[in-house]
Amino acid sequence: MDALLLGIYAFFVWLIFFKFKWLPWNKVSMVIVFTIPVVALTILILTLNIVAPSSSDVRVMNKVLQVVPQVRGRVIEVAAEGNRSYKKGDILLRIDPTPYQYAVKQLQAKLKADEAALSDAEASSRQLNETARAAAGQVAVVLARLDLARKRLAEHEELVAAGAGDKFALEDARARVRELEGELITAQATENEVKQKLSAKSQGEFAAIANARAKRAETETQLENAQWELDQTIYRAPSNGRVVNLQIRVGTMLVPMPFAPAFSFVEDEQELIAFYQQNELYNVANGNEAEVALLTHPGEIIKARVDSIVWAQSQGQVQQGGMLPNTGPVGTPPNRFAVKLKLEGKYKNLVLPAGALGAGAIYTEHGQMVHILRKVFLRVSTKLNYLVLKLH
């Protein structure tokens, strides 16, 4: 763009001083002619750097997941292919599930045995409680019969005393009362015996039930973990993305170690980051218009907006340790700050190559009349991306 402006300026100089000779070409005019573009371009570029800052370092960054299996095993199927796109939930590989299936079946059988043991313990406790309730109920029945018999005995005694009763009926009533009193003593003795047994066994029964329940809960937890491990033998895509650096084959032994990933999974979720010097961003605000020209898309201007500025970098952190901070013999060059850009319009769902580089510019709310110059600069530079400058 600088060359274009200089070319236009040189054309007008040629018209004025050489074609039409409206002004004389002397030392004064020469100084003026050569001074004007230097001063004008300097002011223009410095102004653009403030109101429409540009960056020659714009990068496309993707989130990369290092795929590490959750379980140990030998690969029996590689469903994924290298450098292919997959949707979330697609099967990428399978690990031999045989040992994990055995573990699940074993724990399922153990769970049934624990449930049976718990049922037996609860049934024994219920039977003893039912016996105690039956003994108490028998005592209540005998008491009710004894009360009725005593009332009838009292009635017969009153009739005999009045001379209107039957002595044989009175004796029969007395015999019935004595009989029921004996039954009551027997029922109470049975109840006391059952209570003593219940008291002696209650603690043991309760402990047995609690122990059986604890064993069942432990087995259920182990079964859930075994089922989870079995599910992990099938690895699915964690999100939409691509499989990269796929080197495993059927028969490869995988282990759940973070330093031994199976392959890399590049998610489709991307971040477009532009890096700026520290004094270029004081006019930049969230939502400002931005444009990007990537080397992978020559001739194309990608529209975006400022999502946020990452106001943090490593120079703002002091490492934890027992040593005093080392300030160094000379000043440290200032690091840059990152600006996160968000694609918009027809480019909103555009999937860019991870690691793509390019240039970009942000258009602030200031000096909008000169933004057009920055846009022209950027468009000229993206046209130059068509040139492949190598001699082979």
Side-chain angles (χ1 to χ4, degrees), residues 69 112-113 125 128 143 159 171 179 182 190 252 258 262 265 271 274-275 296 315 332-333:
K112 291 182 179 179
S125 178
L128 191 60
L143 279 174
L159 291 174
E171 291 299 328
E179 179 183 358
T190 302
T252 302
F265 187 84
E271 290 184 350
F275 294 91
T296 55
Q315 288 180 339
T332 303

Side-chain angles (χ1 to χ4, degrees), residues 291-308:
E291 291 181 336
V292 174
L294 297 177
L295 294 173
T296 55
H297 292 66
E300 185 174 4
I301 296 296
I302 299 174
K303 297 289 186 178
R305 286 197 177 274
V306 175
D307 177 82
S308 58

Side-chain angles (χ1 to χ4, degrees), residues 326-348:
N326 182 6
T327 57
V330 295
T332 303
N335 284 348
R336 298 172 299 170
F337 284 108
V339 179
K340 183 178 178 181
L341 304 178
K342 185 176 182 180
L343 300 180
E344 67 170 3
K346 66 178 183 179
Y347 303 100
K348 188 173 184 180

Side-chain angles (χ1 to χ4, degrees), residues 191-247:
E191 182 183 17
N192 291 333
E193 182 182 359
V194 173
K195 286 182 177 180
Q196 289 176 358
K197 291 182 180 180
L198 182 62
S199 177
K201 293 185 178 181
S202 59
Q203 294 182 354
E205 293 289 341
F206 292 151
I209 293 174
N211 187 39
R213 288 177 178 172
K215 287 184 177 180
R216 184 185 65 176
E218 181 181 1
T219 303
E220 288 177 344
T221 302
Q222 293 175 349
L223 179 59
E224 290 177 358
N225 182 69
Q227 185 63 52
W228 178 82
E229 289 182 340
L230 177 60
D231 295 338
Q232 297 307 306
T233 59
I234 300 176
Y235 188 86
R236 300 178 183 273
S239 62
N240 297 341
R242 289 174 289 119
V243 175
V244 179
N245 192 25
L246 182 63
Q247 302 297 329

Side-chain angles (χ1 to χ4, degrees), residues 365-380:
E365 299 296 330
H366 308 277
Q368 297 182 3
M369 64 183 67
V370 295
H371 287 180
I372 185 64
L373 297 177
R374 180 66 76 190
K375 292 183 178 182
V376 173
F377 287 170
L378 196 62
R379 280 154 178 79
V380 171

Side-chain angles (χ1 to χ4, degrees), residues 99-355:
Y100 303 101
Q101 290 173 344
Y102 288 157
V104 169
K105 292 179 180 178
Q106 182 180 5
L107 288 171
Q108 287 175 343
K110 187 174 183 295
L111 180 60
K112 291 182 179 179
D114 291 342
E115 289 177 344
L118 177 60
S119 298
D120 291 342
E122 291 177 342
S124 177
S125 178
R126 285 195 300 269
Q127 183 178 3
L128 191 60
N129 290 330
E130 289 174 358
T131 302
R133 286 194 295 270
Q138 183 65 26
V139 170
V141 171
V142 173
L143 279 174
R145 292 177 180 177
L146 181 58
D147 289 340
L148 180 59
R150 284 173 177 173
K151 288 180 180 179
R152 290 180 177 177
L153 175 60
E155 291 175 355
H156 284 295
E157 288 176 347
E158 290 178 358
L159 291 174
V160 170
D166 186 357
K167 293 182 179 181
F168 291 103
L170 177 61
E171 291 299 328
D172 184 62
R174 287 175 178 171
R176 180 60 179 166
V177 168
R178 287 192 295 271
E179 179 183 358
L180 291 173
E181 287 176 347
E183 291 182 6
L184 178 61
I185 292 172
T186 302
Q188 288 176 340
T190 302
E191 182 183 17
N192 291 333
E193 182 182 359
V194 173
K195 286 182 177 180
Q196 289 176 358
K197 291 182 180 180
L198 182 62
S199 177
K201 293 185 178 181
S202 59
Q203 294 182 354
E205 293 289 341
F206 292 151
I209 293 174
N211 187 39
R213 288 177 178 172
K215 287 184 177 180
R216 184 185 65 176
E218 181 181 1
T219 303
E220 288 177 344
T221 302
Q222 293 175 349
L223 179 59
E224 290 177 358
N225 182 69
Q227 185 63 52
W228 178 82
E229 289 182 340
L230 177 60
D231 295 338
Q232 297 307 306
T233 59
I234 300 176
Y235 188 86
R236 300 178 183 273
S239 62
N240 297 341
R242 289 174 289 119
V243 175
V244 179
N245 192 25
L246 182 63
Q247 302 297 329
I248 61 173
R249 295 294 182 267
V250 173
T252 302
M253 190 67 183
L254 298 180
V255 292
M257 295 293 181
F259 54 81
F263 53 85
S264 298
F265 187 84
V266 181
E267 298 182 358
D268 287 345
E269 182 181 352
Q270 298 180 314
E271 290 184 350
L272 190 60
I273 304 296
F275 294 91
Y276 282 89
Q277 299 297 330
Q278 297 192 4
N279 62 343
E280 292 184 278
L281 298 174
Y282 62 88
N283 281 328
V284 176
N286 295 349
N288 284 162
E289 179 188 359
E291 291 181 336
V292 174
L294 297 177
L295 294 173
T296 55
H297 292 66
E300 185 174 4
I301 296 296
I302 299 174
K303 297 289 186 178
R305 286 197 177 274
V306 175
D307 177 82
S308 58
I309 303 175
V310 183
W311 289 114
Q313 39 93 0
S314 61
Q315 288 180 339
Q317 179 183 12
V318 177
Q319 296 294 333
Q320 180 180 349
M323 301 296 292
L324 296 177
N326 182 6
T327 57
V330 295
T332 303
N335 284 348
R336 298 172 299 170
F337 284 108
V339 179
K340 183 178 178 181
L341 304 178
K342 185 176 182 180
L343 300 180
E344 67 170 3
K346 66 178 183 179
Y347 303 100
K348 188 173 184 180
N349 298 320
L350 179 64
V351 178
L352 300 171

